Amino acid sequence: MREIDVKLITEKVRDLCIQANTDLGEDVLRAFDRAIKQEESPVAIDILKELKENARIAKEEKVPICQDTGFAVVFVDLGQDVHLVGGNLKEAIAEGVRQGYRDGYLRKSVCHPFTRANTGDNTPAIIHTEVVQGDQIKITVAPKGAGSENMSRVVMLTPSEGIEGIKRYVVQRVKESGSNPCPPTIVGVGIGGTMEQAALLAKKSLLRPLGSSNSVPELDRLESEILTEINRLGIGPQGLGGRTTSLAVQILMMPCHIASLPLAVNIQCHVQRHKEAVI
Ligand code: SF4
């Protein structure tokens, strides 16, 4: 058993909250470059260049990439040979979020659903913990803005709707979302499991680096077919027209019940931010 003090988790979560909100990944910047080469609309090209410039300024000046600094979604891969000491995991993560949003001057965006009273420190965090082999902890912080989250959906298709039904639904969801999720977007898709598991698969699919292939050939093909259809919609960057409505479609799938076909679409805006650390 390896002992890890939860204080270390708090420190990492604090840093990751700030890094994720100020330092857009190289994979996203490269995806902007690819889109600029493929675009035909001068307005779309200008917007994509502005998004790159915005990311550059955020990184250099350590300011948030967007005013919506998101709900702190935290994925924890907890090694089964780890013994946590010095406190409890949930509170250690909450404290990290508190410190990160305070020290990074990040907007606190979490409130009571009815009164809309702000919790004041961007907690609680949304924590997804998975117990894995080994004696390490991997923590991924993925702040999620509401503009794109609000456009996300879970639907229980009938099995007979099949792959064509999935394609139709995902493309329609992006079409109906229009400019609301601040395109160009990344479309996370979860297929199978149960209702809540499909949503989690869709969210997890967004952690895959942009530009990488799906390890399942069947899903890789499906991703490019859906992306082609989406980019024929003409919504374009910021909804002002163009070929680049989405930068990628990313799918995770697992078996489902014989009587159902759960499908989740988690739309992510161009501020595709997540950072990870291993302890
Ligand atoms: S959807 Fe993304 S880019 Fe748009 S306001 Fe929200 S976080 Fe910012």
Side-chain angles (χ1 to χ4, degrees):
M1 273 287 179
R2 179 176 164 227
E3 284 199 352
I4 295 179
D5 195 310
V6 294
K7 281 196 193 73
L8 206 50
I9 294 173
T10 296
E11 283 168 25
K12 290 288 179 204
V13 170
R14 174 203 173 273
D15 294 349
L16 292 172
C17 287
I18 297 172
Q19 285 166 19
N21 268 297
T22 55
D23 182 6
L24 201 56
E26 288 297 321
D27 59 328
V28 186
L29 298 175
R30 282 194 295 271
F32 289 160
D33 284 334
R34 285 196 295 275
I36 288 168
K37 280 196 193 125
Q38 287 163 13
E39 263 299 345
E40 287 174 342
S41 153
V43 175
I45 292 171
D46 277 353
I47 294 170
L48 290 163
K49 287 182 176 169
E50 288 295 331
L51 296 182
K52 275 188 72 182
E53 177 64 0
N54 179 62
R56 183 191 66 75
I57 295 169
K59 186 174 181 177
E60 281 180 16
E61 300 190 10
K62 298 204 180 337
V63 292
I65 307 157
C66 179
Q67 45 76 34
D68 184 351
T69 51
F71 212 132
V73 179
V74 182
F75 293 91
V76 181
D77 287 350
L78 178 62
Q80 62 188 9
D81 298 326
V82 170
H83 177 209
L84 295 173
V85 295
N88 84 63
L89 179 65
K90 192 174 166 191
E91 182 44 36
I93 292 172
E95 183 55 24
V97 170
R98 244 173 241 128
Q99 293 181 13
Y101 276 72
R102 181 195 65 205
D103 299 348
Y105 303 100
L106 307 174
R107 192 184 79 185
K108 287 83 183 168
S109 308
V110 179
C111 70
H112 187 286
F114 296 163
T115 66
R116 312 308 291 182
N118 199 298
T119 63
D121 57 9
N122 223 53
T123 68
I126 304 294
I127 305 170
H128 301 293
T129 308
E130 196 173 334
V131 177
V132 298
Q133 284 197 326
D135 63 357
Q136 295 182 319
I137 306 175
K138 184 167 105 177
I139 302 169
T140 307
V141 173
K144 192 73 171 76
S148 54
E149 192 76 346
N150 288 347
M151 295 299 109
S152 304
R153 299 285 187 275
V154 179
V155 62
M156 304 301 279
L157 299 180
T158 59
S160 62
E161 288 175 273
I163 293 181
E164 286 311 311
I166 290 169
K167 279 194 209 171
R168 246 193 331 271
Y169 188 86
V170 176
V171 175
Q172 187 63 20
R173 182 82 296 272
V174 175
K175 186 176 179 186
E176 286 171 6
S177 299
S179 63
N180 291 312
C182 300
T185 54
I186 296 93
V187 184
V189 178
I191 303 170
T194 50
M195 182 194 72
E196 82 285 6
Q197 184 63 34
L200 187 54
L201 288 173
K203 181 137 292 183
K204 270 192 171 173
S205 75
L206 295 170
L207 300 180
R208 201 176 99 206
L210 280 186
S212 63
S213 306
N214 195 309
S215 57
V216 181
E218 181 189 24
L219 297 183
D220 199 54
R221 271 195 306 280
L222 186 56
E223 287 178 359
S224 37
E225 284 170 20
I226 296 175
L227 183 63
T228 303
E229 282 192 42
I230 286 173
N231 283 336
R232 280 194 192 123
L233 293 173
I235 295 168
Q238 298 300 299
L240 294 174
R243 289 181 164 199
T244 322
T245 299
S246 295
L247 297 168
V249 173
Q250 302 192 161
I251 305 175
L252 278 175
M253 185 168 82
M254 68 178 293
C256 59
H257 190 281
I258 51 171
S260 67
L261 178 52
L263 171 66
V265 182
N266 194 195
I267 298 187
Q268 170 62 47
C269 64
H270 65 272
V271 186
Q272 162 63 323
R273 54 196 158 185
H274 49 88
K275 294 286 179 204
E276 64 180 51
V278 176
I279 301 173

